[in-house]
Amino acid sequence: MNKIHVLTAEISSKIAAGEVVENPSSVIKELIENSIDAGADSIIVEIKNGGISYMRLTDNGSGMSAQDAQNAFLRHATSKITSVGDLEKISTLGFRGEALASIAAVSNIELITKTQDSDGVFLQLDGGKLITQQTTGCPKGTTVVVRDLFFNTPARMKFLKSDKTETSYITDIVQRFVLGNPNISIRYIVDGRERLFFSGDGQLKSCVYSVYGRDYAKSVLEVDRCENDIKIYGLAGKPESSRGNRTFQSLFLNGRYIKNKAITFAAEAAYKNTLMTGKFPFYVLHIKISPEFADVNVHPTKQEVKFANERTLCDVVYWAVKNALAHSAEEQIIHFAPKIQQQHDLKSMAKEPERQINMVDNISLNNTTPRQQRQQNFEDNYQYKIVGQVFDTYIIVEFSDKIILIDQHAAHERLLFEKFKMTYQQNQQMAQMLLSPVAIVFSPPEHVAILENLQVFSKLGFEIEDFGNNSILVRQAPITAQRQTLKTLIGELISLIDSPGEAISDNEDQMLKTISCKAAVKGNTIMQKSEIDALINDITKEGDINTCPHGRPLFVTLTKYQLEKMFKRIV
Ligand code: ADP
Ligand code: MG
């Protein structure tokens, strides 16, 4: 008996839908692309329940005639290409003619559309089947309502995440469209509340302001370079606006949001030596090249792109960003030179004789724990002598037949990390109520992320509440966290969210390291004698710690034997 049969149109359309329609955010992406291709300069996106029950998109684009509106839902029906040759030079966001057919196959759709010259038309489709078609009065443009996504494909429905998570995916997509289209006004409404509005004033800086808020908009440098028929323009964040992940990086190719590792690395390479490890720059870069040098037809979502000459493109991106940073550095040198001088003066004043630490203390270790007994570096029956602090950064200890140089920041950071970790695991918090609450403004996406993760923050010792207008009120914070650095600390904790919508709880260790790092005494800080005593005492108690939480060594040693060899007392 023959086993192979051709699948019915109904099943094959649902299978095909799976390639384009992965979740509500992919529907929003396709619908916005259609509006942009239709020439709209005003788009309203509204979603409810993470888009699962309701998504509506309204544009003021070209609209469709009644016949086109029907044809739009046929598979491989498009107005954008006609021949194979057209695939070589795609200038629209869509071209495959499968989005509307795919979305319709797995949802219930209403479409209202009108062109300049034809009557308006209303269409209703359930699971891809046309139920109603009638003329209607409406303005020029198109409105698409998508309800009950995946109602007829329960297997796909099961893979949807929580409403909150699906919303965050959609928000991310909408934000990228804002950053990619400075000339288009975009209003975005979530569960009845406006989440984002961009006026479409043509300014990329305004896009950044709408999406990420004032601080990021203020901290950008203009990028503009044209070479080998490649134009790169946009905004590169100053090094101080770097973050703990890459979510605030956007690349656009001829207006299309794309992901490309080689270009990402090229842009990041331009920041070499200006960022700490683990930090990633913030940027919005637009690439304009002739469409035939890029193939956007290599991936279902069209986000991955192949370039004919990736090396040259990467070079241009690198120099575009590098130049932007170099110009700003030059300006800063001229601008800040007098201030730097002043800081030095202040610093030398701070080193008044009575505050200088150069003490010699004898402390004997007793009451040692079994853990301490295992220690190689400090550790029993010996005395150690704190010699002092050098470069306001290292503490020198004489111990047995060695000199030990301790990095004060690394040591304190590690000790705090051990304590934070222990209390965290016991579901307790090392936290302090602030004398007065601190109000902090964040960028809109950061603000949302903080509110979505209040429980995580509470477990870390924060007491935070929403304060409206993208701000929060911090009432309690982990112990030793300083008021002035709270914004950076909370910002860094939030950037530990690897991708939009993912809970940060997977990154507990990383978060505790961040808190410890921020709370620890810094290098270049004069420490009081009592503080040094306490630090060394804690290290000896802690026992087997050799590195800071990030893996840097806590101390280096120089033996008496090595010294004597150096001075040729022994040969
Ligand atoms: P594609 O965008 O790849 O052509 P779609 O299935 O997304 O395929 O859309 C099919 C066609 O429907 C488009 O080619 C376009 O002609 C028309 N269309 C879709 N959305 C709109 C819209 N918002 N305004 C005007 N025309 C639209
Ligand atoms: Mg399309």
Side-chain angles (χ1 to χ4, degrees):
M1 203 177 90
N2 296 333
K3 295 181 194 159
I4 298 176
H5 56 273
V6 174
L7 292 172
T8 62
E10 195 190 346
I11 300 178
S12 60
S13 71
K14 283 183 187 167
I15 292 172
E19 285 178 21
V20 181
V21 189
E22 196 191 325
N23 54 23
S25 81
S26 49
V27 172
I28 292 294
K29 173 183 169 290
E30 294 294 337
L31 295 181
I32 299 182
E33 285 190 355
N34 280 347
S35 298
I36 295 175
D37 283 346
D41 64 10
S42 172
I43 297 173
I44 304 169
V45 180
E46 180 171 3
I47 62 159
K48 288 178 187 162
N49 305 110
I52 301 163
S53 69
Y54 183 89
M55 291 180 267
R56 185 178 68 177
L57 194 134
T58 302
D59 70 46
N60 65 350
S62 62
M64 287 174 266
S65 66
Q67 187 58 52
D68 275 350
Q70 253 195 48
N71 289 345
F73 291 99
L74 300 176
R75 200 158 290 283
H76 306 303
T78 180
S79 57
K80 299 169 192 174
I81 57 170
T82 45
S83 67
V84 175
D86 289 342
L87 273 179
E88 307 287 314
K89 45 178 177 14
I90 291 162
S91 59
T92 47
L93 295 171
F95 53 86
R96 293 190 186 129
E98 56 187 5
L100 284 185
S102 296
I103 298 165
V106 290
S107 67
N108 296 324
I109 286 197
E110 286 155 36
L111 176 94
I112 300 170
T113 186
K114 182 185 169 335
T115 67
Q116 186 76 42
D117 324 305
S118 62
D119 285 339
V121 60
F122 168 82
L123 265 71
Q124 189 186 355
L125 295 94
D126 285 358
K129 286 195 189 77
L130 185 65
I131 306 289
T132 316
Q133 174 165 359
Q134 62 196 45
T135 53
T136 182
C138 60
K140 183 194 133 215
T142 304
T143 295
V144 185
V145 179
V146 179
R147 291 180 207 272
D148 310 321
L149 187 67
F150 298 141
F151 79 98
N152 55 356
T153 48
R156 292 203 78 80
M157 183 76 145
K158 254 193 267 173
F159 283 100
L160 288 177
K161 307 233 170 89
S162 69
D163 288 6
K164 225 163 47 178
T165 305
E166 294 297 344
T167 299
S168 71
Y169 294 154
I170 296 175
T171 306
D172 186 59
I173 292 277
V174 173
Q175 287 169 345
R176 308 284 179 189
F177 274 107
V178 169
L179 297 170
N181 298 277
N183 291 308
I184 299 179
S185 159
I186 297 186
R187 188 181 296 278
Y188 172 50
I189 301 159
V190 178
D191 295 320
R193 282 183 62 181
E194 183 177 285
R195 176 71 72 89
L196 188 156
F197 173 71
F198 173 60
S199 68
D201 68 2
Q203 302 296 319
L204 197 51
K205 252 192 194 177
S206 311
C207 302
V208 169
Y209 189 106
S210 294
V211 172
Y212 298 123
R214 192 186 53 188
D215 287 358
Y216 282 95
K218 269 183 12 194
S219 174
V220 288
L221 304 164
E222 303 265 348
V223 176
D224 193 3
R225 190 179 181 87
C226 199
E227 204 181 318
N228 293 320
D229 293 326
I230 299 169
K231 180 167 173 64
I232 310 290
Y233 66 94
L235 300 169
K238 291 182 186 167
E240 55 268 27
S241 66
S242 62
R243 307 185 79 245
N245 63 27
R246 294 191 167 99
T247 44
F248 281 22
Q249 299 184 344
S250 300
L251 288 175
F252 297 93
L253 167 69
N254 297 337
R256 180 193 304 280
Y257 173 63
I258 58 158
K259 290 188 174 159
N260 183 292
K261 281 197 181 130
I263 301 174
T264 302
F265 290 144
E268 287 180 359
Y271 284 84
K272 195 161 181 244
N273 296 331
T274 66
L275 301 182
M276 285 180 3
T277 40
K279 289 284 181 183
F280 301 94
F282 153 63
Y283 56 72
V284 180
L285 293 179
H286 283 257
I287 303 163
K288 285 263 184 272
I289 54 172
S290 184
E292 61 261 35
F293 294 120
D295 187 357
V296 291
N297 197 14
V298 290
H299 193 262
T301 65
K302 297 164 281 182
Q303 267 188 11
E304 274 161 39
V305 182
K306 271 196 183 152
F307 292 98
N309 198 348
E310 198 168 82
R311 273 291 285 278
T312 315
L313 176 59
C314 287
D315 278 354
V316 185
V317 168
Y318 173 81
W319 286 111
V321 179
K322 184 100 182 152
N323 275 347
L325 292 169
H327 281 137
S328 115
E330 275 167 27
E331 278 166 26
Q332 274 183 15
I333 288 165
I334 298 160
H335 189 66
F336 289 119
K339 277 196 188 158
I340 290 169
Q341 185 58 48
Q342 207 180 1
Q343 270 174 13
H344 276 291
D345 293 348
L346 286 175
K347 207 153 183 212
S348 55
M349 275 167 65
K351 289 188 195 170
E352 304 143 8
E354 66 271 23
R355 293 203 62 206
Q356 288 217 3
I357 294 166
N358 184 18
M359 64 283 171
V360 179
D361 273 355
N362 288 300
I363 305 163
S364 60
L365 289 177
N366 42 30
N367 297 332
T368 50
T369 63
R371 193 177 190 190
Q372 280 173 303
Q373 284 166 15
R374 290 198 304 272
Q375 287 312 297
Q376 296 297 309
N377 292 300
F378 283 102
E379 310 83 316
D380 313 279
N381 306 322
Y382 287 107
Q383 290 195 327
Y384 68 79
K385 188 163 81 183
I386 298 173
V387 182
Q389 188 195 26
V390 281
F391 308 126
D392 300 340
T393 300
Y394 307 100
I395 295 161
I396 304 179
V397 178
E398 180 192 327
F399 167 69
S400 177
D401 61 347
K402 299 183 192 79
I403 294 170
I404 304 177
L405 277 156
I406 299 170
D407 181 320
Q408 65 194 36
H409 172 71
H412 194 207
E413 186 184 6
R414 177 61 191 259
L415 289 168
L416 284 173
F417 175 67
E418 295 299 328
K419 283 186 194 159
F420 277 125
K421 199 167 169 173
M422 197 174 71
T423 47
Y424 186 84
Q425 282 166 350
Q426 292 167 353
N427 254 329
Q428 296 167 356
Q429 289 120 20
M430 294 210 312
Q432 62 195 357
M433 283 302 275
L434 303 177
L435 275 177
S436 56
V438 184
I440 311 174
V441 183
F442 281 93
S443 68
E446 284 170 326
H447 182 241
V448 170
I450 293 166
L451 297 186
E452 283 179 354
N453 290 284
L454 283 182
Q455 269 185 329
V456 182
F457 277 103
S458 149
K459 206 172 166 211
L460 290 169
F462 288 92
E463 198 183 303
I464 291 175
E465 61 191 66
D466 187 9
F467 203 44
N469 279 337
N470 295 318
S471 63
I472 57 163
L473 204 62
V474 185
R475 295 188 181 281
Q476 180 183 290
I479 207 146
T480 70
Q482 309 203 341
R483 288 173 84 87
Q484 318 83 275
T485 54
L486 271 180
K487 176 164 182 170
T488 326
L489 173 60
I490 295 172
E492 285 192 18
L493 292 173
I494 266 309
S495 68
L496 289 173
I497 302 170
D498 281 327
S499 58
E502 226 158 83
I504 52 180
S505 49
D506 298 340
N507 270 330
E508 286 169 359
D509 250 27
Q510 209 50 47
M511 292 190 297
L512 295 172
K513 283 177 194 172
T514 302
I515 294 176
S516 316
C517 182
K518 284 277 166 300
V521 61
K522 300 281 170 292
N524 279 317
T525 306
I526 298 174
M527 284 179 75
Q528 302 298 324
K529 176 182 170 299
S530 56
E531 292 170 330
I532 297 182
D533 286 351
L535 185 71
I536 304 299
N537 195 31
D538 279 355
I539 295 174
T540 59
K541 273 201 215 132
E542 192 53 47
D544 50 359
I545 51 171
N546 298 313
T547 61
C548 81
H550 301 101
R552 278 203 303 118
L554 225 93
F555 46 78
V556 291
T557 54
L558 185 65
T559 62
K560 190 175 176 197
Y561 177 77
Q562 284 170 317
L563 264 183
E564 288 180 335
K565 287 271 282 185
M566 282 184 213
F567 285 109
K568 307 232 179 291
R569 282 173 175 268
I570 52 174
V571 279

